[in-house]
Amino acid sequence: MRKINMAYPIIDVYATGAHIRQLRVERGYSVREIQTFLGFENPQAIYHWQHGRNLPTVDNLYALSKLWGVSMDEIIIEQAA
């Protein structure tokens, strides 16, 4: 068995949420536009992401990365060790 010489990566939910908001604003999208793009009935999930209450699903993260022209890794902020 191979030994892994890397700490388990943990996503900083609050920093990632703030970064999602920053990317949205920098690229000129409103919450309503993101809501429509993702096919949500209401914007609550987006506000929850931006406030660090939870994270987007992988599908939604992928869609946002394509919309904003960044990789999924560029959206996610890793917790400092």
Side-chain angles (χ1 to χ4, degrees):
M1 183 190 238
R2 190 180 340 179
K3 182 178 178 180
I4 300 172
N5 293 321
M6 178 181 143
Y8 184 82
I10 298 172
I11 297 171
D12 185 326
V13 180
Y14 296 104
T16 298
H19 193 58
I20 287 171
R21 182 183 186 288
Q22 176 186 352
L23 288 167
R24 178 184 63 74
V25 170
E26 283 176 355
R27 281 153 177 80
Y29 289 98
S30 68
V31 170
R32 177 79 58 195
E33 289 171 318
I34 299 299
Q35 172 192 340
T36 301
F37 173 70
L38 295 173
F40 294 170
E41 286 191 28
N42 62 59
Q44 288 310 109
I46 299 159
Y47 287 117
H48 284 197
W49 302 339
Q50 293 184 159
H51 292 114
R53 292 189 187 113
N54 54 37
L55 294 167
T57 63
V58 173
D59 290 349
N60 291 326
L61 189 62
Y62 182 68
L64 291 173
S65 75
K66 292 298 183 182
L67 178 66
W68 295 335
V70 297
S71 71
M72 290 171 43
D73 280 348
E74 291 177 84
I75 297 174
I76 296 168
I77 305 297
E78 189 174 337
Q79 205 171 62

